[in-house]
Amino acid sequence: MKIQLPFNKNKKRTPVIKDAPKKDIGMMTPLKSDFVQLIKDATNNPADLIIKNISSNLTLVYIDKLVNEVTLNDHIISNLQDKSIDTPDTIKTTLSIPEIDISTRLEVVIKAIVNGSVLIQVEGFSEVIMASIPKRELRTLTSPENESQVIGSQVGFNESLSTNISLVRRYIMSPDLCNENFALGKRTNTSVALLYMNGIANEQMVNTLRQRITDLDIDALLDSAVLAEMIDDNSITPFPQMLLTERPDRFCEGLLNGKLGVIVEGSSMAIICPQSFIEFFQSREDQNLRWQIATFVRLLRFSAILLSVFLTPIYVGALTFHYEVIPLAFLVPLSESRALVPFPPVFEALLLEFIIELLREAGARLPTKIGQTIGIVGGIVIGTAAVQAGITSNILLIFVALSALASFTTPSYMMGNVIRFIRFPIIILAGFWGYYGIMLAFCFILIHLLRQTSLGAPYLSPFYPPRLKGMSDSIIRLPIPFTSKRPDITRPTDQGKFNAEPVKPKNTSTEGGKNG
């Protein structure tokens, strides 16, 4: 392959001697002094770079606080001090370290030392031994903070990739669980794991997600939420197309249903895809409850979402344009509550919604005990003072509080933010055009959702396109024997989860009558 280098046409070109030897700056050197200087130059000579001379021909180089000092002293330094070492192969056989590699490339050596490896150089040899003994500051496993539940597992992911993968393997003890590793970020070199079930996951979806991850050319990757926005189908829409969860049981349930999972080093949130719009309002605890209770909770949750989005706009539209829809019994209380309010209903509603969001954001950013106090006391004080000062009506204050309370019933934090966000433009449209503006906003959101996909799958599945079998676990949750098929959104290779016939209860009284 011929490579053309850029050059200036106006500049006189100097002849090039083709047979002149070239020095490869990417290779290691056998001299100890040159090796140390090469490592210093490649790492910009940091203050925590440790260089130790074990003997006359052995040199250890590592970065302080990145390696396990106990393993370094007990298994490396103690084994190398009292023995005569001649070659790198002898060191590799002497040390009892699980991960030991040998390389002559500077790029590989530098990558190893910043990942917690100890470099061992034998003078006279260009090969460098890389003993991986990283020291990781791990957070202990705790219960999920954002996805709490009463019945079910109480363990959540932490920031360690290896720990999170081990949690997944505790749930799925199968050789069909596939794990592919990637490194993203030219500066951070963040480890990313793609997990899926072989024989269940759709191969085309696996190839699509793998291609999206490998095609990323980014400088840094610090969290899984950033990765999800980069690899989803539409990064412009406010609606998330991939689920972020901190629950290993929900993550494994998605894998067993044919979905794909992504875990990022340093993030306690894992990615599940593809994900339909209706699944963002489902909780893992729904599967642990009796189907009647789970259906009731889901219906309550969906009713709360509609209430959160449309209650305040309906109030604004009725008071601005459509007085005829207000019952006569409510006209007098409404007129009395708004007698001293100098603002139009749309401005009044936007002001209260802004105050509610301000209190919510302040409570989330402050420490836990102070945040709860600010949220409760601030809401009571500001609400009471606003009504007494005539800035707002007490009825609208009740509606806005109910809308804010209903928005917190969404199990997904990302989708909950979207519900609170879209309420503002709907209130504005209701203030300009009344119920026609609300209908316009509803049609726009519906058309927008119809156009969305998640990893190529329809976002409004199983309602569009309609899939009757998929509706058995959507808004309602049918008994377990009726959910023996995996959801169609994943296009699984193996559609059956279990044989429904032995699970279906039999009528023992009828059989007993026949036998009698």
Side-chain angles (χ1 to χ4, degrees), residues 283-458:
S283 173
R284 178 64 188 86
E285 194 175 18
D286 297 344
Q287 305 297 328
N288 300 332
L289 300 174
R290 305 292 294 183
W291 71 272
Q292 300 93 336
I293 307 301
T295 301
F296 171 76
V297 172
R298 285 188 180 181
L299 292 175
L300 180 66
R301 197 177 295 143
F302 288 117
S303 302
I305 299 305
L306 295 176
L307 190 72
S308 174
V309 175
F310 295 107
L311 180 60
T312 306
I314 289 175
Y315 172 86
V316 173
L319 289 185
T320 307
F321 296 98
H322 309 283
Y323 280 100
E324 66 276 5
V325 301
I326 303 176
L328 294 176
F330 289 99
L331 284 176
V332 175
L334 278 175
S335 60
E336 291 178 353
S337 63
R338 288 193 48 81
L340 300 177
V341 178
F343 306 115
V346 59
F347 182 82
E348 181 187 2
L350 290 176
L351 179 62
L352 281 181
E353 291 286 353
F354 177 78
I355 294 175
I356 290 292
E357 291 301 317
L358 191 63
L359 289 173
R360 186 188 67 85
E361 187 67 18
R365 298 293 171 253
L366 291 173
T368 305
K369 296 181 179 180
I370 301 177
Q372 294 176 355
T373 305
I374 290 294
I376 297 174
V377 176
I380 295 175
V381 172
I382 294 177
T384 305
V387 172
Q388 292 179 354
I391 298 177
T392 182
S393 62
N394 50 8
I395 295 180
L396 179 59
L397 184 63
I398 296 174
F399 285 170
V400 171
L402 285 176
S403 300
L405 184 63
S407 66
F408 292 109
T409 60
T410 307
S412 172
Y413 177 77
M414 303 292 287
M415 185 59 73
N417 290 335
V418 176
I419 296 301
R420 289 187 289 271
F421 168 74
I422 64 176
R423 192 163 58 229
F424 284 90
I426 299 178
I427 292 174
I428 296 175
L429 290 175
F432 280 103
W433 296 307
Y435 289 169
Y436 297 102
I438 297 177
M439 185 56 63
L440 177 64
F442 174 77
C443 293
F444 178 82
I445 294 174
L446 181 61
I447 294 173
H448 179 74
L449 293 177
L450 289 172
R451 294 170 56 89
Q452 302 307 310
T453 57
S454 176
L455 210 62

Side-chain angles (χ1 to χ4, degrees), residues 24 27 35 64 116 217 222 236 260 275 307 387 447:
D24 193 350
M27 303 299 292
F35 163 76
D64 193 20
D217 185 13
L222 300 178
I236 300 177
L260 314 181
Q275 192 79 0
L307 190 72
V387 172
I447 294 173

Side-chain angles (χ1 to χ4, degrees), residues 229-248:
E229 187 176 353
M230 291 180 177
I231 63 178
D232 60 10
D233 294 26
N234 185 4
S235 300
I236 300 177
T237 177
F239 293 92
Q241 295 121 54
M242 297 183 179
L243 178 66
L244 294 175
T245 180
E246 56 181 347
R247 299 197 61 88

Side-chain angles (χ1 to χ4, degrees), residues 160-181:
S160 172
L161 178 63
S162 58
T163 303
N164 294 338
I165 294 178
S166 66
L167 287 175
V168 175
R169 291 197 176 275
R170 290 179 187 177
Y171 282 93
I172 306 177
M173 299 181 183
S174 171
D176 294 331
L177 178 61
C178 299
N179 178 17
E180 300 181 12
N181 293 326

Side-chain angles (χ1 to χ4, degrees), residues 266-291:
S267 176
S268 61
M269 306 293 288
I271 303 173
I272 302 177
C273 58
Q275 192 79 0
S276 66
F277 175 75
I278 205 70
E279 289 177 328
F280 283 96
F281 303 100
Q282 299 174 358
S283 173
R284 178 64 188 86
E285 194 175 18
D286 297 344
Q287 305 297 328
N288 300 332
L289 300 174
R290 305 292 294 183
W291 71 272

